[in-house]
Amino acid sequence: MGIFMILFTLLGGITLSAQSSINGTLSRKAGTIETTFLTFITGSMFLAIFILFFGQGNVLGILEAPKWQLSAAFLGTMYLLLTVMAVPKIGVIATNIAGIIGQLVIGMLIDHFGWFGSLVISFDLKRSFALLFMVIALYFIYKGNKRSSKESCA
Amino acid sequence: MRYFAYILALLAGSALSFEGAIYAELGKTIGQLETSFYNFFMGSIIMGLLWLFFGKGKLSYAVEAPKWSILGGVLGVVYLTSIVISVPFVGVGITMVAVIIGQLVMSMVIEHYGWLGSKKTRINKEKIFAVISMIMALILIN
């Protein structure tokens, strides 16, 4: 069961990178804001059907939830909009690597300070090495991208 | 201009982390699928407003575009659902590592072959090093 679940999650990652390339392609003709808008609309439609059949929570609980928790929707929107903007300029892999690094760095920060009621995991030596590797990754992807764009021009 | 796009992508990822931490709290009270729905629903409203005021593109292109190119929303839902389902079985750590590895390897394949309308750029040594460094970082964090 465990292995099956891991494969299933790999599929989740695959769909996410497929999403960023598809959206990048659509945005060239339809526009950035329009593409993000469409993604959200179709996503809500599918989730609405999903919830009707499988939802076990309480959608109306949104009305009583603390407002700061609801503000996360602006962050979700920002993520998608910025991704759609970046893909046509630097490509899928660079956008994803930079995005993941931003995510991990802030994730470590949240862990360290235990913000938003998360478990406190302090920033240690292992995590500083992890940070170093991320900087190396960012450097390589920048260099690798520069080289392939040079090759495609030549 | 290229630098700027990298900064945008970094910012996008940071937004995602804050979002994830906050939604984890919201998910406890209203349910996880419901939280995703809230996210997409509010996102539609926010983007709808942005589009009304600042949209310069062509929304109607969605009707004539090849059907595969408007699948972005569904794929986002598949992604969210796969995470929601697997976290209780294997934990957040392994889930995130598997998602990210899937994402990185697939991005490389997509670009290498120029699938899904992306610009075709060949895999090179530097890109493979970048992915290996990311995997090292992931192992160290967990």
Side-chain angles (χ1 to χ4, degrees), chain B:
Chain B
M1 203 49 212
R2 279 178 75 84
Y3 272 123
F4 187 62
Y6 281 88
I7 293 170
L8 288 185
L10 280 169
L11 265 178
S14 345
L16 199 60
S17 248
F18 279 121
E19 180 202 336
I22 298 173
Y23 276 155
E25 287 296 299
L26 186 61
K28 280 180 207 159
T29 48
I30 69 169
Q32 277 159 327
L33 270 180
E34 287 74 10
T35 303
S36 305
F37 175 68
Y38 165 75
N39 181 50
F40 275 85
F41 185 73
M42 266 302 274
S44 312
I45 296 176
I46 298 168
M47 288 315 300
L49 282 172
L50 273 178
W51 170 67
L52 279 175
F53 285 101
F54 305 107
K56 292 195 191 80
K58 198 171 157 223
L59 192 61
S60 60
Y61 176 72
V63 186
E64 27 182 303
K67 293 305 164 221
W68 60 265
S69 69
I70 50 174
L71 286 177
V74 196
L75 293 173
V77 174
V78 173
Y79 161 75
L80 275 171
T81 313
S82 74
I83 289 185
V84 170
I85 294 177
S86 67
V87 166
F89 288 97
V90 291
V92 183
I94 293 178
T95 303
M96 285 330 285
V97 172
V99 166
I100 292 173
I101 291 176
Q103 200 182 342
L104 289 179
V105 173
M106 196 59 195
S107 316
M108 214 149 56
V109 175
I110 288 176
E111 267 197 7
H112 183 72
Y113 292 105
W115 284 345
L116 305 173
S118 70
K119 216 176 104 204
K120 192 170 171 180
T121 50
R122 292 240 307 278
I123 292 179
N124 51 28
K125 261 194 319 240
E126 284 89 347
K127 287 184 189 174
I128 291 175
F129 278 136
V131 171
I132 293 173
S133 313
M134 284 308 289
I135 293 173
M136 292 294 289
L138 285 172
I139 293 169
L140 284 167
I141 288 179
N142 274 283

Side-chain angles (χ1 to χ4, degrees), chain A residues 57-124:
Chain A
N58 176 19
V59 185
L60 295 176
I62 287 168
L63 299 174
E64 286 138 43
K67 300 290 173 256
W68 67 270
Q69 290 181 2
L70 298 183
S71 65
F74 290 95
L75 297 166
T77 314
M78 210 173 101
Y79 162 73
L80 207 60
L81 187 61
L82 294 179
T83 313
V84 175
M85 285 164 85
V87 168
K89 294 203 182 74
I90 55 175
V92 188
I93 178 104
T95 305
N96 278 329
I97 287 197
I100 292 165
I101 291 175
Q103 201 181 336
L104 291 175
V105 170
I106 298 296
M108 291 196 286
L109 211 66
I110 294 176
D111 274 353
H112 183 76
F113 293 106
W115 288 336
F116 312 116
S118 74
L119 205 69
V120 179
I121 304 170
S122 46
F123 189 78
D124 55 2

